[in-house]
Amino acid sequence: MSDQVPGSSAETEHERLNRELDQLLGELRVALPGVQVLLAFLLTAPFSGGFDKVDGESRTVFIAAITLAAVASVLLIAPTVHHRLRFREGTKEEMIRTANRLAIAGAACLGLAIGCALYVVGDAAFSDTPARWIGPAVVLLAAVTWYLVPLSYSKDQTLSPGGTRPSQTGGGESSSREG
């Protein structure tokens, strides 16, 4: 029985899984420093001199921000832990699917945490102005650029690894499996 990926002449199933896992872990290496810096800032903010300016609704939003940043950290770190726990046990395909879902959920929590933090900063630093609404605007921007734009990609418009459209290579799906 061949280990070859259907429609691909150069990559085996094992190679594809390794590539997909490498890509996923590389993407997480980009996201993690951001969420960790945000979480560190939020964890230290209550101990700073100006935190007493944060009151009422903004304190509630602040606790939401810190909780969302912590959840994002847990979700974005989880795939690495999964990989270490199940290394060489033949569960790579399932692990990649789960890790992908965790990364998407982690990014959603990160976007919300950024928006909440901006709301609190805007409200505390520029009270009685619309500055706090920059936070919700950034959440909307993240939702559009991180989720709506990629979900709008047309499968028929993706390029194959050779730079040609699938219709130019004899039809069918592109052999690229970026997932």
Side-chain angles (χ1 to χ4, degrees):
M1 182 171 210
S2 173
D3 196 26
Q4 207 73 28
V5 175
S8 169
S9 61
E11 187 176 53
T12 65
E13 180 74 9
H14 178 73
E15 290 168 335
R16 178 186 63 82
L17 290 173
N18 284 339
R19 177 181 50 80
E20 288 177 357
L21 182 60
D22 286 345
Q23 288 174 340
L24 179 64
L25 294 176
E27 291 161 358
L28 292 173
R29 282 185 207 103
V30 171
L32 274 168
V35 74
Q36 290 170 333
V37 167
L38 178 61
L39 181 58
F41 165 76
L42 292 170
L43 286 170
T44 60
F47 304 104
S48 70
F51 192 73
D52 57 342
K53 291 182 182 178
V54 177
D55 59 3
E57 177 183 289
S58 285
R59 282 193 181 253
T60 302
V61 176
F62 176 81
I63 197 68
I66 200 166
T67 301
L68 286 162
V71 170
S73 292
V74 169
L75 294 173
L76 294 171
I77 291 169
T80 303
V81 177
H82 290 200
H83 183 247
R84 284 297 94 205
L85 288 173
R86 301 306 300 265
F87 185 66
R88 295 188 181 183
E89 290 186 7
T91 60
K92 196 173 282 185
E93 177 113 32
E94 183 179 1
M95 183 178 52
I96 291 169
R97 276 194 305 273
T98 301
N100 185 59
R101 289 183 196 109
L102 290 167
I104 291 168
C109 288
L110 175 58
L112 290 168
I114 291 169
C116 287
L118 284 170
Y119 178 92
V120 173
V121 169
D123 190 45
F126 306 100
S127 60
D128 300 325
T129 72
R132 66 177 150 184
W133 298 110
I134 293 170
V138 169
V139 170
L140 182 61
L141 176 66
V144 169
T145 58
W146 293 355
Y147 295 95
L148 294 180
V149 169
L151 290 174
S152 73
Y153 295 161
S154 172
K155 191 175 188 178
D156 294 338
Q157 296 303 312
T158 58
L159 296 176
S160 68
T164 59
R165 302 248 180 251
S167 59
Q168 296 172 330
T169 59
E173 285 190 33
S174 168
S175 61
S176 175
R177 293 184 174 256
E178 293 298 316

